[in-house]
Amino acid sequence: MSPGPGSRIRRTLLAGLVAAAVVLPVSAAASPRIPAPAPAVQSESATPQSRYAAALAGMAEAARAAEGAGHGGRALRLRAMARPGAQFLAFDGRGQGRAVEVFGDLGTADRVAVLVPGSDTNLDTYERFREGALALQRRLRAGHPHTAVVAWLGYDTPGTVSTTVLTADRADRAAAELGPFLRRLRASTPAGARISLLCHSYGSVVCARTRTGPGVSDMALYGSPGTGAASAADLPTAARVWAGRGAGDWIGGVPHVRLGGVGFGTDPVDPAFGARPFAAGAAGHSDYLKPGTESLDSLARIVLGPEVPHA
């Protein structure tokens, strides 16, 4: 019996989702499972400084383990990450790897941005993620000295060329990690500090599932494939929700549908979603945090808020 028109439409839409994930430019292949020691357990009361020291020690051990297992490239990248003055709140060198790096002084910052990355971000592609965090921190400091940026690679991101990027499974697991992290981060910053979540690509799916609590003032979704929610009001946050997309971002061509748990539904930049729009200029999918771009300026303004004059 031949399939009905409804079945053909569903298959066409799903095929479009898969094609968008497979044929569009990708940044990295999946990381091999590289051996590394488990990270040292830190108490809830551990200071940022003690966490920084423990993470750098863990990086040195992971670099030695990677080199011993014949993964010299990973060892070199880990040693580059552990540059003098680096501040990592957390590090895990196993598999794809996880790392949470701080730029600035959390103890004095009254404006804190937490970057949540999208697919194909791991220890082997970390430098690109770090460059964006540094560019944002420099832009923020141009307008206000008491700022910090946290590059939160706290989950196993999906591969761009994979079926995992089409569902929320990894986002659900990541949200369960991000929510408690935000509460701990709040305890490390001055009273009244504003924390903003800046969520790129699949990271916007993570943020949309995270119970942020009252400590997060703003959530910005950019390069987003959707969130799985029909509207900003459905997200588990009291933060102001923003959305932007650059004119050069290929993800605008991804079908914004959700069928059987595949896909992420309403486009966050659609007025029907109800997010506050921000200008992203001509940004391509990986360009939102590049120095000198309109998108970087817009994201910095969201973090700083209207109370801070903008440089």
Side-chain angles (χ1 to χ4, degrees):
M1 187 172 72
S2 62
S7 176
R8 287 196 297 271
I9 291 171
R10 285 194 293 273
R11 285 205 305 272
T12 300
L13 290 173
L14 290 174
L17 282 167
V18 173
V22 172
V23 305
L24 291 167
V26 298
S27 56
S31 298
R33 290 293 169 184
I34 298 175
V41 177
Q42 295 280 314
S43 70
E44 287 291 321
S45 59
T47 64
Q49 287 69 30
S50 66
R51 293 180 186 274
Y52 297 159
L56 289 176
M59 275 186 195
E61 291 182 29
R64 288 192 291 270
E67 193 163 54
H71 297 283
R74 168 66 68 87
L76 284 173
R77 283 185 282 273
L78 291 179
R79 289 177 178 131
M81 286 172 64
R83 50 181 56 82
Q87 302 178 140
F88 284 89
L89 283 172
F91 171 78
D92 187 342
R94 296 172 295 180
Q96 287 186 203
R98 301 184 183 189
V100 180
E101 188 171 7
V102 176
F103 304 88
D105 184 355
L106 288 177
T108 62
D110 57 21
R111 299 290 188 277
V112 180
V114 179
L115 298 180
V116 180
S119 60
D120 285 320
T121 308
N122 51 56
L123 294 184
D124 294 321
T125 62
Y126 182 78
E127 193 61 27
R128 183 189 60 214
F129 183 40
R130 181 181 185 274
E131 287 173 359
L134 272 174
L136 177 62
Q137 172 64 349
R138 290 175 182 135
R139 178 62 185 81
L140 291 173
R141 287 183 64 84
H144 185 62
H146 302 299
T147 61
V149 173
V150 180
W152 188 81
L153 176 54
Y155 76 112
D156 291 332
T157 66
T160 302
V161 183
S162 71
T163 56
T164 55
V165 81
L166 302 176
T167 72
D169 292 347
R170 293 206 180 187
D172 287 332
R173 292 195 291 271
E177 299 282 346
L178 180 56
F181 171 78
L182 292 171
R183 291 192 290 274
R184 293 192 299 271
L185 179 65
R186 182 71 175 172
S188 299
T189 58
R194 289 168 49 122
I195 297 175
S196 300
L197 272 177
L198 306 187
C199 317
H200 177 236
S201 194
Y202 190 86
S204 67
V205 187
V206 174
C207 292
R209 282 163 165 69
T210 300
R211 297 189 178 278
T212 62
V216 174
S217 63
D218 294 88
M219 178 188 294
L221 314 175
Y222 53 102
S224 175
T227 65
S231 72
D234 295 332
L235 304 185
T237 182
R240 289 181 291 257
V241 178
W242 304 77
R245 177 178 299 133
D249 191 342
W250 55 259
I251 210 163
V254 172
H256 291 281
V257 295
R258 182 169 175 80
L259 294 170
V262 176
F264 302 109
T266 308
D267 188 344
V269 302
D270 187 328
F273 186 74
R276 302 175 182 221
F278 70 85
H285 191 65
S286 300
D287 301 336
Y288 289 90
L289 297 178
K290 284 191 174 180
T293 57
E294 186 175 10
S295 52
L296 178 62
D297 283 345
S298 294
L299 290 167
R301 290 188 179 98
I302 290 170
V303 174
L304 294 175
E307 303 85 357
V308 177
H310 299 296

